[in-house]
Amino acid sequence: MKVVIIGGVAGGATAAARLRRLKEDAQIIILERSGYISYANCGLPYYIGGEIKEKRELALNTPESFFNRFRIDARVGHEVTEIDPKRRLLTVRRLEDGAAYQESYDRLILSPGAKPVIPAVPGTELDRVFTLRTVEDTFAIDSFIGQFHPQKAVVIGGGFIGLEMTENLTRRGISVTLLQRSGQVMPPFDADMAALLHGEIKRQGVELKLYTDVTALRAAGERVIVEQKNGPALETDMVVLAVGVQPDSTLAEKAGLRLGIRGSIWTDAHMRTSDENIYAVGDAVQVSHFVTGQPALIALAGPANKQGRIAADNIAGIPRQYHGSQGSSILKLFELTAAATGINEKEARRQGLDYDYVILSPSSHASYYPGAVPLTMKVLFEVPTGRILGAQIAGVDGVDKRIDVLAAAIRGEMKAEDLTELDLAYAPPYSSAKDPVNMAGYMIENLLEGLVRQVHWDEAVSSAGALRAASAEDTGEPLLLDVRTVREFGRGHIEGALNIPLDQLRERIHEIPQNRTLYVYCHSGLRSYLACRILSQSGRVCCNVAGGYGFYEKTML
């Protein structure tokens, strides 16, 4: 059997290695357009920032190492220009000299990846305007910085690449302005959680401009002028375009293969395309979202590797299915770590799901052990089943552990009650006896069982006109109750809120009207939960404000 793989990196290289382990007698060829057969795509920004020192560290495998280890014919600088499915022939152009030749196949695996989205504005072809997708792109940016020593850079786009480039250019001593067309960075996050990232970006001295629509880029000597629709032009030394990626499905389309959403390559659960002899894997393929079951595009290395393995298994005669992606991802942003898995609120609403979420701010490990730092967690769940739908976490330490546990919980279709019973490792330097994941389960369980009602800050703030401190009059309107200490209240509070510290609540409960719905908050949501248990058992209608004043301060002020 002769198997040709178009594209290396994650999906293609994984498929090749897996196939060799299964079929020693197969002829395996990889045709890669770039100069690198398998490289650390996710590590490219960190080479520019200086965290990765050596060029060779970016190359996970070379054509020589692939041949020596697996006897795989890996050809770099070879671009496939046409697929003839009927004849099972490829037209290949050797980029070194432009020579063309044909290559036959019995089975073909497409792993073309995704390509950067280039905005439809003048000037994107300028010498000082860069994209980052390949090792060659990385070296071009690094060489430019080394030669011209830019003082200012504009990064357009606040997704993974945009944020990682913002950090690493800043670490190179370059003053960065980050432009984002929408009102938030990091699309997997909801706007409230993205606000935590906005705060970290600004704390690091980066100028963040939201709702910014770039209309043109133009050269001005050794500078680039960035024209904005709703603001003054920016003058900079370099521009990085990071507005997103799109499936590189040109070959598949020309070959007449069935396409999926947004021009992606359609495959079945076996990673087989509409042609039974052609498989496709990686960033270019449409997948099923594990949570919703709907078609999705999820350009991440983890899914690409899994799909490559599954395609190889099926070609080798081992029936294997890919059951979907859930978008588990993590980002280092200066001193902050941000991670997400499953779906966010935007997607839950789009799918018409009945959902709610909890906000909690636990410590990364036991608070009495030195070095504990807070996490901010948002966990979405289905109502009334309690099935975990998604999670978003931001913090300095312990983010990766919790997002991975929650990702596994989603994959296992766990409910809140299952989270409460997870037996997770505990020692004071690493966690708490009640791990934050357990705590999320307890909070959801309390809501579903009716032990506490909940209101979110957007609803509370939208009712601000009705939130007035208690008086001699019982108007029946909502009352915002702050149960923090007097000192905390003095450092900042919601205007019109009544302050009765939790420890005084039982003695002063007579000050709170019986016929007013109470929106109760503290700093994080714990003391306000305790207050609601007291108040509800006194016959009052009480709603705990999710996340507390700490979350409000970080996300809404």
Side-chain angles (χ1 to χ4, degrees), residues 294-499:
Q294 297 300 308
L297 282 177
I298 298 179
L300 294 169
N305 276 282
K306 297 174 183 68
Q307 293 159 16
R309 180 184 176 93
I310 288 170
D313 283 358
N314 282 289
I315 289 173
I318 302 173
R320 195 88 69 189
Q321 293 189 31
Y322 186 67
H323 297 291
S325 303
Q326 63 194 65
S328 300
S329 56
I330 192 164
L331 169 77
K332 178 184 178 296
L333 182 63
F334 296 104
E335 305 305 320
L336 199 67
T337 300
T341 187
I343 62 172
N344 55 26
E345 276 199 88
K346 296 185 288 286
E347 184 62 19
R349 285 193 296 267
R350 195 171 75 86
Q351 295 294 334
L353 296 175
D354 190 358
Y355 77 96
D356 201 351
Y357 62 88
V358 293
I359 299 288
L360 58 158
S361 303
S363 294
S364 56
H365 58 249
S367 57
Y368 59 82
Y369 188 89
V373 288
L375 301 168
T376 301
M377 299 174 59
K378 180 175 185 177
V379 182
L380 276 72
F381 61 95
E382 186 178 50
V383 178
T385 66
R387 179 171 67 105
I388 307 304
L389 300 174
Q392 302 156 47
I393 311 179
V396 175
D397 186 36
V399 173
D400 54 342
K401 172 181 177 178
R402 276 66 190 214
I403 204 68
D404 283 345
V405 172
L406 287 164
I410 291 172
R411 181 62 56 159
E413 298 184 329
M414 288 184 177
K415 300 178 181 180
E417 62 192 44
D418 300 311
L419 296 189
T420 68
E421 296 185 15
L422 285 178
D423 195 348
L424 303 174
Y426 160 62
Y430 304 107
S431 184
S432 301
K434 296 176 183 176
D435 188 86
V437 174
N438 298 135
M439 292 303 302
Y442 293 139
M443 293 172 68
I444 297 169
E445 193 174 61
N446 285 339
L447 290 171
L448 293 174
E449 292 179 353
L451 289 177
V452 67
R453 299 185 185 185
Q454 178 174 263
V455 66
H456 298 293
W457 274 116
D458 53 355
E459 183 180 346
V461 170
S462 68
S463 303
L467 298 173
R468 297 290 181 263
S471 64
E473 299 180 13
D474 283 356
T475 63
E477 295 176 339
L479 166 64
L480 197 62
L481 177 62
D482 187 324
V483 296
R484 297 176 299 158
T485 65
V486 172
R487 178 176 292 183
E488 288 176 289
F489 186 80
R491 287 198 293 260
H493 60 270
I494 308 298
E495 185 179 355
L498 171 66
N499 179 221

Side-chain angles (χ1 to χ4, degrees), residues 22-69:
L22 297 175
K23 293 189 74 65
E24 184 64 24
D25 59 345
Q27 181 185 1
I28 305 171
I29 299 172
I30 302 177
L31 302 173
E32 167 60 42
R33 180 171 47 196
S34 77
Y36 296 83
I37 196 67
S38 177
Y39 57 89
N41 189 284
C42 299
L44 301 182
Y46 300 102
Y47 178 84
I48 294 169
E51 294 291 324
I52 298 173
K53 305 293 184 184
E54 302 293 335
K55 290 183 177 181
R56 65 175 180 271
E57 292 175 343
L58 294 175
L60 303 179
N61 286 288
T62 65
E64 293 76 20
S65 68
F66 244 61
F67 182 80
N68 292 336
R69 178 65 56 84

Side-chain angles (χ1 to χ4, degrees), residues 481 498 500 504-514 518 531 533-540:
L481 177 62
L498 171 66
I500 301 179
Q504 302 174 17
L505 185 59
R506 290 180 178 88
E507 290 71 30
R508 297 176 58 184
I509 199 168
H510 61 276
E511 300 176 27
I512 303 172
Q514 283 276 3
L518 305 174
R533 291 303 303 143
I534 295 170
L535 292 164
S536 62
Q537 292 179 77
S538 72
R540 290 167 172 81

